[in-house]
């Protein structure tokens, strides 16, 4: 009985780890029944690593955040081969989005990865949102619903499970939940009309997992964030929306919930609310055992029904079984190489105002803003590299907040910004540069503000292909 309870507790824990191979403690935990592992760019992900994990537990749910665009774990060095959700929403071709979802699924199938924490089904209703932005398909619920369903069909058609996030919707927030607890100030009616349609569409498309948002939504629950709210997860997501797949938390070390209690207590509260899998992005052996032991103690003390823990472990196993039953889909996807789809989408998404053409190597000034805590800090905008490939001799200056504008000289000038509309200091820098150099070209890789400069290019996302598409357009 005791051993079974420990296995059940481990089955619902899905930790990340440091290093490029599985540490001994993780191997032991997998052998003892650990249900999942989350991979990050720091793990230098490849097929041998996944094989190493599966050697200890063949049914382990191997998960990854591979959204395309700004959030990539597999292509963080060079930038994603896909332009990201906002660009796909701008193009608004659901067939194209499905093709992109299938190709990301193909990449993951090659590595034997079970679950992708994508797509973001958030409706980016607030332009000041610091963490969603271009990760959303857009500000319109119907558009986001269309493309969420298309991405799910593409991904899962390739035999890899998709995960709609961040339930019940992170789009109307001004706080990054990595840093603090955001509040969604919307009525229940507004949530039903604006934020929930993409999740309904994902569920109708058969999505296998839903990730909770660490969001306080008083219209649903005035006391607990959605991750810890039975009203949000059991009553709304399970009851009203009819979702019967695996519910996984966003990483519980994020400060939105980490500030409330110990990791073990957060896990117990989440399981009681209706969660099935606890994502723990940063943990070691002692931390994992502490969470496991707290879950076991909660069952023994009557604070967490054993039936609820067993149900959660069963849903994790069901997702693993779904994946195990689809080798033919993954084999077909591996053979279905569509190498141009990402660049085609990026080209179609470009929004260009004004006219300017670069015929010699420019100076690129990257006005540097931290994208968000969800984006790996090594992710490049890629604009300088893409221009340098076409115009050798291109040089770059990175301008941090508070730095003075450098001598702009007489070379062609390209200013690269991200979400300029959200950052007054960025707009000030751009205005000063354009005043000094009216011929300046501005490239915005985020949610663009009003066009400025001799030419203004909006890529609607950060990726290798978005940068290539912009560079091509500017040198044609």
């Amino acid at each position: 009985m005791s051993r079974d309870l420990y296995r059940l507790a481990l089955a619902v824990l899905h930790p990340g780890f440091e290093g490029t191979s599985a540490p001994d403690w993780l191997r032991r935990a997998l052998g003892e029944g650990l249900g999942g592992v989350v991979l990050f760019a720091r793990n230098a992900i490849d097929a041998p690593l996944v094989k190493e994990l599966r050697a200890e537990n063949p049914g382990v749910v191997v998960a990854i955040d591979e959204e395309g665009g700004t959030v990539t774990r597999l292509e963080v060095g060079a930038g994603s081969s896909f332009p990201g959700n906002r660009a796909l929403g701008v193009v608004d071709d659901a067939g194209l989005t499905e093709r992109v979802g299938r190709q990301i699924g193909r990449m993951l199938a090659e590595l034997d990865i079970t679950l992708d924490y994508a797509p973001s089904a958030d409706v980016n209703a607030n332009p000041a949102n610091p963490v969603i932005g271009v990760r959303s398909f857009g500000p319109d619920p119907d558009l986001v619903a269309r493309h969420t369903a298309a991405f799910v069909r593409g991904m899962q058609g390739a035999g890899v499970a998709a995960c709609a996030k961040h339930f019940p919707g992170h789009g109307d927030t001004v706080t990054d939940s990595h840093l603090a607890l955001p509040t969604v100030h919307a009525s229940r009616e507004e949530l039903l009309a604006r934020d929930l349609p993409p999740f309904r569409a994902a569920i109708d498309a058969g999505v296998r997992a839903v990730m909770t948002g660490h969001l306080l939504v008083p219209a649903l629950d005035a006391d607990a964030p959605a991750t810890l709210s039975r009203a949000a997860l059991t009553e709304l997501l399970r009851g009203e929306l009819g979702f019967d797949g695996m519910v996984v938390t966003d990483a519980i070390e994020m400060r939105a919930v980490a500030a409330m209690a110990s990791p073990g207590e957060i896990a117990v509260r989440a399981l009681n609310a209706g969660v099935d899998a606890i994502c723990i992005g940063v943990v070691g052996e002692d931390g994992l055992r502490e969470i496991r032991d707290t879950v076991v103690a909660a069952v023994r003390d009557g604070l967490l029904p054993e039936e609820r823990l067993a149900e959660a472990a069963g849903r994790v196993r069901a997702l693993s079984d779904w994946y195990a039953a689809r080798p033919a889909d993954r084999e077909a996807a591996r053979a279905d190489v569509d190498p141009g789809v990402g660049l085609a989408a990026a080209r179609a998404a470009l929004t260009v105002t004004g006219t300017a053409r670069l015929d010699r190597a420019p100076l690129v000034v990257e006005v540097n803003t931290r994208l968000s805590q969800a984006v790996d800090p090594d992710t490049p905008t890629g604009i300088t590299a893409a221009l340098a490939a076409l115009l050798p001799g291109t040089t770059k200056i990175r301008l941090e907040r508070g730095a003075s504008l450098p001598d702009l000289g007489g070379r062609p000038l390209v200013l690269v910004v991200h979400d300029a509309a959200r950052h007054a200091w960025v707009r000030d820098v751009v205005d000063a540069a354009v005043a000094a150099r009216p011929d300046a070209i501005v490239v915005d890789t985020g949610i663009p503000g009003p066009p400025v400069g001799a030419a203004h290019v909006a890529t609607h996302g950060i990726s290798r292909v978005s940068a290539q598409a912009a560079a091509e357009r500017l040198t044609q």
Side-chain angles (χ1 to χ4, degrees), residues 392-476:
T394 295
T395 57
K396 175 179 76 173
I397 295 172
R398 295 192 74 181
L399 200 64
E400 305 289 341
R401 183 170 189 164
S404 300
L405 202 63
D407 179 9
L408 301 176
R411 296 175 61 182
L413 177 64
V414 177
L415 301 167
V416 180
V417 300
H418 185 79
D419 284 356
R422 281 202 307 114
H423 301 284
W425 75 270
V426 173
R427 295 195 302 276
D428 290 344
V429 169
V430 170
D431 289 345
V434 170
R437 289 285 303 275
D439 61 331
I441 295 168
V442 178
V443 179
D444 196 326
T445 60
I447 308 292
V452 292
H456 185 275
V457 179
T459 64
H460 304 284
I462 289 177
S463 69
R464 178 179 55 79
V465 288
S466 298
Q468 183 179 340
E472 289 174 350
R473 180 67 69 89
L474 290 173
T475 55
Q476 287 172 349

Side-chain angles (χ1 to χ4, degrees), residues 181-452:
L181 178 63
T183 299
V184 177
H185 300 285
S187 66
R188 185 179 177 87
E189 292 71 29
E190 191 172 7
L191 289 170
L192 291 171
R194 182 192 66 191
D195 296 292
L196 295 186
F199 291 98
R200 289 186 187 276
I203 292 166
D204 289 345
V207 73
R208 302 309 308 170
V210 169
M211 177 179 280
T212 67
H214 299 324
L215 310 160
L216 187 65
V217 189
L220 300 178
D221 189 327
D223 300 317
T227 296
L228 310 179
S229 170
R230 185 173 177 82
L233 302 184
T234 298
E235 295 171 18
L236 178 58
L237 180 57
R238 296 281 188 212
E240 291 184 44
L241 301 189
F243 179 63
D244 63 359
M246 188 185 84
V247 176
V248 59
T249 69
D250 210 341
I252 63 168
E253 73 275 9
M254 292 165 62
R255 292 179 209 166
V257 293
M260 296 180 172
S262 72
E265 291 165 337
I266 292 295
V268 169
R269 290 176 62 183
L271 289 162
N272 265 322
V275 159
D276 305 305
I278 310 295
C279 172
I280 318 156
V282 181
V283 74
E285 181 172 18
D286 291 345
L288 184 69
R289 292 190 182 281
E290 185 272 331
I291 298 170
R292 179 203 64 183
D293 292 350
T294 303
V295 171
V296 169
V299 174
R300 288 176 171 162
D301 294 343
L303 301 175
L304 173 65
E306 186 174 348
E307 297 77 13
R308 169 77 273 272
L309 181 60
E311 178 186 56
R315 288 210 181 98
V316 174
R317 188 167 55 252
L319 188 143
S320 175
D321 291 346
W322 179 92
Y323 179 83
R326 283 161 177 77
D329 289 344
R330 290 189 292 279
E331 191 61 34
R334 282 193 287 267
D336 182 19
V337 181
D338 191 359
V341 67
L343 182 57
R347 286 170 173 159
L350 285 182
T351 304
V352 182
T353 306
T355 55
R357 180 178 178 275
L358 294 170
D359 56 5
R360 56 195 175 99
L363 168 65
V364 179
V365 178
E366 293 194 354
V367 186
N368 190 40
T369 54
R370 176 69 164 94
L371 302 175
S372 86
Q373 298 293 320
V375 181
D376 192 289
D378 292 332
T379 304
T381 65
I383 302 294
T384 304
L387 286 171
L390 298 174
L391 297 171
T394 295
T395 57
K396 175 179 76 173
I397 295 172
R398 295 192 74 181
L399 200 64
E400 305 289 341
R401 183 170 189 164
S404 300
L405 202 63
D407 179 9
L408 301 176
R411 296 175 61 182
L413 177 64
V414 177
L415 301 167
V416 180
V417 300
H418 185 79
D419 284 356
R422 281 202 307 114
H423 301 284
W425 75 270
V426 173
R427 295 195 302 276
D428 290 344
V429 169
V430 170
D431 289 345
V434 170
R437 289 285 303 275
D439 61 331
I441 295 168
V442 178
V443 179
D444 196 326
T445 60
I447 308 292
V452 292

Side-chain angles (χ1 to χ4, degrees), residues 73-85:
R73 307 301 186 223
L74 297 177
E75 299 186 288
V76 73
S80 178
S81 300
F82 308 97
N85 284 1

